[in-house]
């Protein structure tokens, strides 16, 4: 018998046509925001932020920077996963200060690990840091897609957009951010032909290798 989780994951698909008249509730938006905040990230650094767009004029403007994909305009909200443009020692130290305050962890325990992280990231180039943060964004996207499925919120993960144009429209540079991924969310239109198509997957027996 198929589990409830697998049933929801089978229900999910990359929605190509949203119903522009159906909107997510505030509770649903808070659930997605909490899910983003609770996403696992390397070292727990959370070098990411998420922009939640409901403004219809801005959504329409972004369509032209999204390979003219209408989902961006028709979706209830557009989630833009962004990374920090700079990941410096101050950012890392702020993280460890949070750990100390929230967990009451003694400095003598945190200091060696903090120093290790500081030295490790100091050795990385800008490109290496950007690539590392981009990977964190994909972890967040995967988490959001699963939560959307469990909450029966339709979604469409998108790499097909112009990050520089998004950054300009949303004023992200001034916030020290750059866009990485886009996720329109909402409710599928009744006439979205993709909704009834069978999933095409290689099969669990072909993609899962067991070592016993």
């Amino acid at each position: 018998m198929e589990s409830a989780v697998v049933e929801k994951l089978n229900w999910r698909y990359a929605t190509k046509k949203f119903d522009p008249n159906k909107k997510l509730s505030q509770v649903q938006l808070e659930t997605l925001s909490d899910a983003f905040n609770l996403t696992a990230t390397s070292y727990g650094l959370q070098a990411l932020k998420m922009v939640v767009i409901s403004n219809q004029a801005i959504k329409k403007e972004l369509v032209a920077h999204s390979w003219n994909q209408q989902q961006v305009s028709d979706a209830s909200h557009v989630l833009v996963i962004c990374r920090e443009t700079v990941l410096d020692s101050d950012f890392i130290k702020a993280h460890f200060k949070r750990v100390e305050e929230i967990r009451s962890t003694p400095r003598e325990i945190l200091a060696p690990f903090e120093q290790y992280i500081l030295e490790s990231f100091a050795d990385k180039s800008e490109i290496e840091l950007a690539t590392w943060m981009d990977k964190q964004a994909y972890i967040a996207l995967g988490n959001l897609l699963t939560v959307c499925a469990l909450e029966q919120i339709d979604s469409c993960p998108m790499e097909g957009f112009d990050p520089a144009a998004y950054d300009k429209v949303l004023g992200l540079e001034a916030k020290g951010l750059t866009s990485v991924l886009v996720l329109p969310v909402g409710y599928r239109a009744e006439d979205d032909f993709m909704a009834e198509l069978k999933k095409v997957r290689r099969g669990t027996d072909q993609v899962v290798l067991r070592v016993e």
Side-chain angles (χ1 to χ4, degrees):
M1 181 179 291
E2 188 175 75
S3 75
V5 172
V6 172
E7 183 180 353
K8 292 289 181 65
L9 292 175
N10 269 316
W11 171 87
R12 188 210 71 79
Y13 73 105
T15 304
K16 299 304 181 185
K17 187 175 183 181
F18 286 91
D19 184 337
N21 298 312
K22 292 184 178 180
K23 305 298 180 183
L24 298 185
S25 69
Q26 188 59 37
V27 171
Q28 289 173 310
L29 290 172
E30 289 174 2
T31 296
L32 294 179
S33 296
D34 288 339
F36 177 78
N37 187 48
L38 291 169
T39 291
T41 59
S42 295
Y43 307 118
L45 286 177
Q46 287 186 292
L48 303 172
K49 288 188 179 180
M50 182 173 74
V51 179
V52 181
I53 307 170
S54 58
N55 184 291
Q56 191 58 37
I58 292 177
K59 288 193 296 175
K60 285 185 176 180
E61 183 178 358
L62 289 173
V63 170
H65 307 304
S66 311
W67 298 2
N68 291 316
Q69 296 178 84
Q70 197 61 35
Q71 298 99 304
V72 172
S73 175
D74 290 343
S76 170
H77 292 74
V78 176
L79 312 182
V80 183
I81 302 175
C82 308
R83 64 166 174 82
E84 303 286 339
T85 53
V86 175
L87 180 56
D88 56 15
S89 59
D90 288 341
F91 188 96
I92 295 170
K93 289 177 181 177
H95 166 69
F96 279 92
K97 181 174 175 56
R98 266 193 310 277
V99 174
E100 183 178 359
E101 292 173 348
I102 293 173
R103 293 180 174 172
S104 300
T105 308
R107 279 300 304 167
E108 56 267 26
I109 293 177
L110 289 176
F113 186 39
E114 179 180 10
Q115 189 59 36
Y116 165 76
I117 300 297
L118 287 168
E119 292 174 359
S120 175
F121 278 78
D123 290 337
K124 297 182 185 294
S125 67
E126 287 186 14
I127 293 177
E128 288 174 325
L129 283 173
T131 300
W132 181 85
M133 286 188 280
D134 285 348
K135 289 180 179 179
Q136 307 306 301
Y138 279 88
I139 296 173
L141 175 66
N143 191 40
L144 286 169
L145 287 173
T146 300
V147 172
C148 280
L150 295 176
E151 294 293 319
Q152 289 201 293
I153 297 170
D154 286 301
S155 61
C156 182
M158 291 172 49
E159 292 180 299
F161 73 104
D162 182 347
Y166 263 65
D167 293 356
K168 184 176 181 180
V169 171
L170 299 174
L172 296 182
E173 184 177 354
K175 298 177 176 66
L177 300 170
T178 187
S179 52
V180 179
L181 294 162
V182 175
L183 184 65
V185 293
Y187 294 96
R188 64 189 68 176
E190 291 184 1
D191 59 345
D192 186 357
F193 75 97
M194 289 289 292
E196 300 302 322
L197 296 181
K198 291 183 178 180
K199 280 193 181 297
V200 179
R201 297 292 189 272
R202 292 170 62 187
T204 306
D205 59 332
Q206 296 184 49
V207 299
V208 177
L209 306 179
R210 302 184 185 277
V211 180
E212 299 177 344

